[in-house]
Amino acid sequence: MEEAQSASSSGDEKQGMQLYTKILIGMLCGVLLGFFVGPNSSFLSANGAVLSKGATIVTYAGGTEALEVANGVERVAVLEEQSGVPNPGAKGEDATSVWLRVQWTLSSADIVRLKAEGVEAKRGDVHSGWVKTDPMKVRRYSTLGQKLVDWTEWIGRLFLAMIKMVVVPLVFFSLIVGMASLGDFRKLGRMGGVTLGFFTFTTMVALTIGLLLTNLFEPGSILSEVDKATLLGSFTADKVVSSAAGAPSFVDQIVGIVPSNPIASLAAGDMLQVIFFATMLGIAFTLMAADAAKRAVDLCVSINEAMVVLVHVAMKLAPIGVAALLFEVVGSTGLGVLAALGAYGGVVVLGLLTHILIVYMPVVIMGARLPFLGFIQSIRAALVLAFSTSSSSATLPVSMEACENNLNVSNEVASFVLPIGATVNMDGTALYQGVAAVFIAQIYGIDLSVGDQATIVVSATMASIGAAGVPGAGMLTLAMVLAAVGVPVQGVALVIGVDRLLDMFRTATNVVGDCTATSLVARMQGESIAVLTPEADAADPNRGMESRLVEVEPQAVDVDGDA
């Protein structure tokens, strides 16, 4: 009997390892596909172009007359490329510049724009003309690669949607159970103080590391004028600037933590308000009559377990989902942007690794008293998901599973610290913003003083917390930081091209920080946390996320209560 159980456990572990390997293979496939057959691949013909605001398509009638059609279309097919427009009347720059002959089919939106400019057109008309290859207005891409991305990107979105579907209910019910289990809610004061103090301190350290490395390596001095013009033309900062202008202040965010309508907060997924309401509801259960409270908490426990099962179901799609996500990211970035921003990206990644080694590792070893490599191995599933999705919130269910089952952290600690970390902890983002701010200043030739850089540390720390509930917080807070030190906010266009790729690294760093804080708080609460060994994992199939991702036969639920 024992041999059968051992064999079953080994089989479960093997299956878990196979799934983990499949996720890594999916990541690798997505990266390779992005490089080789993505829209910006160097291996495919750039037979399409994206025209940004200000691009002008010129058509010639009778050989000499020119009709300018500005901003009539966005994407066009490139038919040929040559120096000088084939028109006898072209003179000066028009005769010497490199031009593209393009073709496009008018859509309903195109017609509306053209009619507003006084040009008559009808839907389905095929037009052709010439456009000058200005890097500020024209970006080449592969139409085949774009079609492949369009056909597959929904898979990645579906995977993310399935994971995010359980985030709010999982946090809500898990936190209620955790708070009710504390008994004495005054313990929250110590847990909350340590958690927020840890995240604030590490955010400031991360910013300092980023500033020091950027001043040391000066990546902004390496970028050429051509690359600068290309980057500024390929991406627009208008949306980021306008969003940053409307972002809530730090004080507004603090006041906004208390929900006026908890149901609306749950529906909107406002994580800070959900955390506050769930915490207060859990505390209320500890102050109620024991029998009434137990019935409510038991229901929360059952729903929480159901959410965990749904996470396991969603993880079945993980290998294909992460492949689709990385294919879109890498394929849309391209080697040209990566080469231009290689030094900048290298400084960011070096800074993130430095932060992990000199901040998180000592806390894990001396504070949580855990072996660091064992700690990283225990949360590897969360790190893989964080890297591929660039979302701490989407990774939250897996982070909770890893800390509770692989590090033996209690549910009350994990359900309290991790949701706060996923919302507030922005160490990776803060470090990235410090590097980006100085990098952009170097490109514009702005010499930032020590006082300016101290302002970056303070403003980025406050902005990271103040904009925690805002989608796309990284770019928004960067815009606010740039404004605080007098650097042109439009400079975010210089780094936005690799933002999604670097977001993968900084999100993984944030998740390491979340789990580090959780382990530290658990140790300070007197819990006996320890890294789950392979032997313990094999002995208990209910521990370790990989070994729990096994096929389970569905069974009917006895709703009538009959035996």
Side-chain angles (χ1 to χ4, degrees):
M1 184 70 176
E2 292 179 356
E3 292 179 357
Q5 291 177 345
S6 176
S8 176
S9 298
S10 299
D12 291 347
E13 184 182 6
K14 181 179 179 181
Q15 181 170 348
M17 291 303 293
Q18 288 177 342
L19 176 64
Y20 182 74
T21 304
K22 287 178 182 178
I23 295 176
L24 292 177
I25 293 175
M27 292 174 62
L28 179 61
C29 289
V31 171
L32 293 177
L33 287 173
F35 277 127
F36 288 106
V37 294
N40 289 320
S41 171
S42 302
F43 302 94
L44 296 179
S45 174
N47 54 354
V50 176
L51 308 183
S52 61
K53 185 177 180 181
T56 300
I57 300 176
V58 181
T59 60
Y60 289 94
T64 57
E65 298 179 2
L67 172 65
E68 295 188 358
V69 184
N71 300 326
V73 292
E74 182 183 7
R75 287 185 178 177
V76 295
V78 177
L79 302 179
E80 62 178 291
E81 174 182 343
Q82 68 179 64
S83 297
V85 178
N87 170 54
K91 297 179 181 179
E93 183 182 10
D94 287 347
T96 59
S97 300
V98 176
W99 289 71
L100 303 176
R101 188 162 73 91
V102 298
Q103 178 178 288
W104 69 99
T105 302
L106 295 184
S107 65
S108 299
D110 297 331
I111 296 171
V112 171
R113 286 194 293 265
L114 289 172
K115 285 188 175 181
E117 297 170 5
V119 179
E120 290 297 325
K122 62 181 181 179
R123 190 175 184 275
D125 283 354
V126 178
H127 292 263
S128 64
W130 293 86
V131 62
K132 187 163 43 175
T133 56
D134 184 350
M136 298 287 288
K137 301 174 182 178
V138 180
R139 177 171 62 87
R140 303 283 298 272
Y141 73 97
S142 165
T143 55
L144 173 60
Q146 187 61 52
K147 286 180 180 179
L148 292 175
V149 167
D150 293 340
W151 291 339
T152 58
E153 60 90 22
W154 67 272
I155 302 175
R157 290 195 293 116
L158 175 64
F159 170 62
L160 274 181
M162 290 183 65
I163 291 289
K164 290 181 177 180
M165 173 181 68
V166 302
V167 170
V168 171
L170 179 65
V171 170
F172 181 68
F173 291 106
S174 180
L175 197 50
I176 290 176
V177 173
M179 294 305 99
S181 301
L182 280 177
D184 185 1
F185 61 84
R186 287 171 293 186
K187 294 179 182 178
L188 282 177
R190 185 181 183 187
M191 289 173 57
V194 172
T195 300
L196 294 178
F198 177 84
F199 289 144
T200 302
F201 172 74
T202 56
T203 296
M204 297 184 71
V205 173
L207 275 160
T208 304
I209 292 173
L211 293 175
L212 290 174
L213 290 177
T214 313
N215 283 287
L216 177 63
F217 292 103
E218 296 187 352
S221 61
I222 302 175
L223 197 67
S224 68
E225 290 298 322
V226 174
D227 288 336
K228 175 183 173 181
T230 301
L231 293 172
L232 284 172
S234 299
F235 305 94
T236 177
D238 294 343
K239 184 177 180 181
V240 175
V241 173
S242 60
S243 300
S249 66
F250 174 70
V251 174
D252 290 339
Q253 279 290 318
I254 294 298
V255 174
I257 289 176
V258 182
S260 58
N261 185 344
I263 304 302
S265 300
L266 287 166
D270 192 323
M271 196 57 69
L272 287 178
Q273 293 186 351
V274 170
I275 292 171
F276 183 87
F277 179 58
T279 301
M280 297 304 295
L281 194 57
I283 291 173
F285 286 144
T286 67
L287 302 176
M288 289 173 54
D291 291 342
K294 187 176 187 305
R295 289 194 296 270
V297 173
D298 285 345
L299 176 62
C300 293
V301 170
S302 298
I303 297 177
N304 184 60
E305 284 298 319
M307 295 302 105
V308 173
V309 172
L310 288 180
V311 173
H312 294 166
V313 172
M315 288 299 289
K316 297 288 187 180
L317 188 60
I320 302 175
V322 298
L325 288 170
L326 290 182
F327 174 43
E328 179 185 10
V329 172
V330 177
S332 300
T333 302
L335 289 174
V337 175
L338 290 177
L341 296 177
Y344 160 73
V347 171
V348 172
V349 174
L350 176 62
L352 295 174
L353 292 175
T354 303
H355 185 66
I356 291 174
L357 294 177
I358 72 173
V359 178
Y360 295 151
M361 187 168 70
V363 173
V364 170
I365 294 174
M366 295 184 287
R369 299 197 292 277
L370 296 173
F372 187 69
L373 291 180
F375 168 81
I376 294 296
Q377 185 178 16
S378 297
I379 63 172
R380 65 187 183 274
L383 293 181
V384 168
L385 194 60
F387 186 82
S388 56
T389 63
S390 297
S391 173
S392 296
S393 296
T395 310
L396 183 56
V398 182
S399 300
M400 294 177 67
E401 180 90 16
C403 287
E404 292 180 22
N405 289 288
N406 295 351
L407 297 174
N408 203 35
V409 175
S410 66
N411 174 260
E412 51 263 33
V413 172
S415 63
F416 179 77
V417 178
L418 284 172
I420 292 178
T423 309
V424 175
N425 177 32
M426 287 192 174
D427 287 4
T429 303
L431 186 146
Y432 152 82
Q433 289 170 354
V435 175
V438 179
F439 172 74
I440 294 170
Q442 289 172 352
I443 290 176
Y444 280 109
I446 299 173
D447 190 13
L448 297 178
S449 65
V450 175
D452 291 332
Q453 299 194 37
T455 301
I456 291 176
V457 173
V458 176
S459 60
T461 301
M462 301 301 289
S464 296
I465 300 173
V470 181
M475 281 287 102
L476 300 185
T477 52
L478 175 57
M480 290 185 277
V481 169
L482 293 177
V485 292
V487 176
V489 178
Q490 288 73 17
V492 297
L494 290 165
V495 298
I496 203 171
V498 291
D499 177 69
R500 181 63 174 80
L501 280 176
L502 294 179
D503 198 6
M504 296 157 62
F505 291 94
R506 62 183 191 249
T507 303
T509 302
N510 289 343
V511 169
V512 175
D514 296 343
C515 296
T516 299
T518 303
S519 301
L520 176 64
V521 171
R523 182 66 74 182
M524 294 181 69
Q525 290 293 109
E527 297 184 5
S528 300
I529 61 174
V531 171
L532 179 66
T533 63
E535 293 77 17
D537 191 7
D540 186 357
N542 290 322
R543 292 192 64 188
M545 181 163 190
E546 289 85 357
S547 59
R548 293 180 68 180
L549 289 172
V550 295
E551 296 293 340
V552 178
E553 289 295 327
Q555 56 184 1
V557 179
D558 185 4
V559 296
D560 296 326
D562 298 332

